Amino acid sequence: MARTWFITGCSSGFGEAIAKAARALGDNVVATSREAAKLGDLAQIGAYTVSLDVNSPQKDIDALVAEAVNKYGSIDILVNNAGYILEGGVEEVSDEEVRAQFDTNVFGQLAVTRAVLPYMRAKKSGVIANMGSIAGWRGGINCGMYCSAKFALIGITEALRKEVEPLGITVVAIEPGYFRTNFLSGGHKVSPKKTIDDLVPVIKPVKDMFAMYNHQQPGDPLKGAQLIVEALTGTGRCADKRLPARLAIGTDAVAMISEVLEDKKKELDDWKDLAITTDLAA
């Protein structure tokens, strides 16, 4: 029986690739973007394409999800993929710019999840995949706000996973490394209006590195999307595997996460003897 996917941010990158891989399985796909007109390729392969801005009022998102459920009978897999990078130093980004980043990358995902969960709870099954990033493991120069949004998403994902697991619903964060998509260019990456001269020597080399790395990333988005689809459906190479709370995708992701875990363990061990002196006396 065909599953039904609801995927946000399908105009390019992972959203588009996941939608195509899901359709290749014969599944129903509700593919969304702020402008459905940009989803012509997905419409041609049978995806149901609709316009959705994840920053819309909750009632509008609820109505669109209800329309999808009315069309296909259920939503079996939700992929929260919509998002963008806000680069810049922590002091450089304005309150307005930071709030816009969180609105799309965190609160927008929450809004879509709230709309879908009642249907999954009713049938006691479903999978919710939040597109995280290796940025959710370590804060980095020039991308502190993007990293912080991904950190927030991980906290939400891990909490929700525990809350709904008894109801037959699985929640996972997909954490890709660098894949050769357009995510480091165009409207997917925005810069703050303000620049602080004192920070230029620290930030400019990282900004230049991002520019040079654009379209030179090691990850193949088609291979990444195929693995994601197999993981979320429990098919192919992922048959009989239990989805982890955090699923790394890419050689660079595995390497970086391993390094972070080792560094954090060393820091904890270095300070352990002092940390444990702060409890109340027995």
Side-chain angles (χ1 to χ4, degrees):
M1 183 176 177
R3 293 163 289 251
T4 297
W5 296 64
F6 191 101
I7 309 171
T8 65
C10 289
S11 61
S12 63
F14 266 123
E16 180 181 25
I18 292 169
K20 289 180 176 179
R23 281 295 299 145
L25 281 181
D27 286 350
N28 305 313
V29 172
V30 181
T32 79
S33 174
R34 282 179 295 179
E35 298 178 47
K38 294 182 178 180
L39 305 178
D41 288 349
L42 294 179
Q44 287 183 0
I45 63 170
Y48 178 47
T49 58
V50 293
S51 296
L52 170 64
D53 183 341
V54 298
N55 293 320
S56 299
Q58 184 72 56
K59 63 180 180 60
D60 294 342
I61 297 173
D62 290 346
L64 194 149
V65 168
E67 178 184 330
V69 172
N70 184 60
K71 180 176 179 65
Y72 291 114
S74 67
I75 292 175
D76 302 293
I77 301 172
L78 166 63
V79 180
N80 280 312
N81 176 67
Y84 68 95
I85 295 174
L86 170 63
E87 65 175 0
V90 171
E91 186 184 354
E92 290 180 324
V93 295
S94 69
D95 183 71
E96 180 182 10
E97 290 164 337
V98 173
R99 289 179 185 275
Q101 168 91 137
F102 271 76
D103 279 344
T104 296
N105 290 19
V106 180
F107 301 125
Q109 294 203 18
L110 271 173
V112 178
T113 299
R114 288 193 199 98
V116 170
L117 267 173
Y119 300 102
M120 291 186 173
R121 285 192 289 102
K123 64 188 184 69
K124 298 294 188 291
S125 68
V127 176
I128 296 174
N130 294 326
M131 290 300 290
S133 166
I134 55 173
W137 283 91
R138 180 167 60 194
I141 294 170
N142 193 51
C143 55
M145 293 304 101
Y146 179 70
C147 292
S148 66
K150 294 303 181 182
F151 270 88
L153 191 64
I154 289 304
I156 293 166
T157 298
E158 292 186 340
L160 181 61
R161 179 183 175 92
K162 294 173 182 176
E163 291 169 357
V164 299
E165 192 170 30
L167 302 175
I169 303 167
T170 302
V171 184
V172 59
I174 308 294
E175 299 185 308
Y178 287 94
F179 279 76
R180 201 164 297 183
T181 68
N182 292 322
F183 200 58
L184 292 178
S185 60
H188 302 288
K189 180 169 67 70
V190 301
S191 300
K193 296 176 182 178
K194 180 180 180 181
T195 298
I196 296 176
D197 290 341
D198 286 345
L199 299 178
V200 170
V202 176
I203 290 175
K204 188 177 185 302
V206 178
K207 190 173 293 190
D208 291 344
M209 181 196 70
F210 277 157
M212 288 189 296
Y213 209 42
N214 188 29
H215 297 303
Q216 300 298 320
Q217 303 97 317
D220 182 336
L222 298 181
K223 291 181 178 178
Q226 182 60 38
L227 177 57
I228 290 168
V229 167
E230 290 179 21
L232 299 186
T233 58
T235 58
R237 295 164 293 173
C238 300
D240 301 321
K241 280 185 172 290
R242 183 176 184 271
L243 271 175
R246 305 176 73 164
L247 177 60
I249 302 289
T251 302
D252 55 348
V254 173
M256 191 271 252
I257 293 169
S258 297
E259 180 183 308
V260 169
L261 291 173
E262 290 174 6
D263 289 347
K264 297 304 181 186
K265 180 65 165 61
K266 184 178 184 304
E267 286 182 350
L268 185 64
D269 290 342
D270 286 347
W271 285 84
K272 178 181 176 182
D273 290 343
L274 285 173
I276 61 177
T277 66
T278 58
D279 292 346
L280 287 167

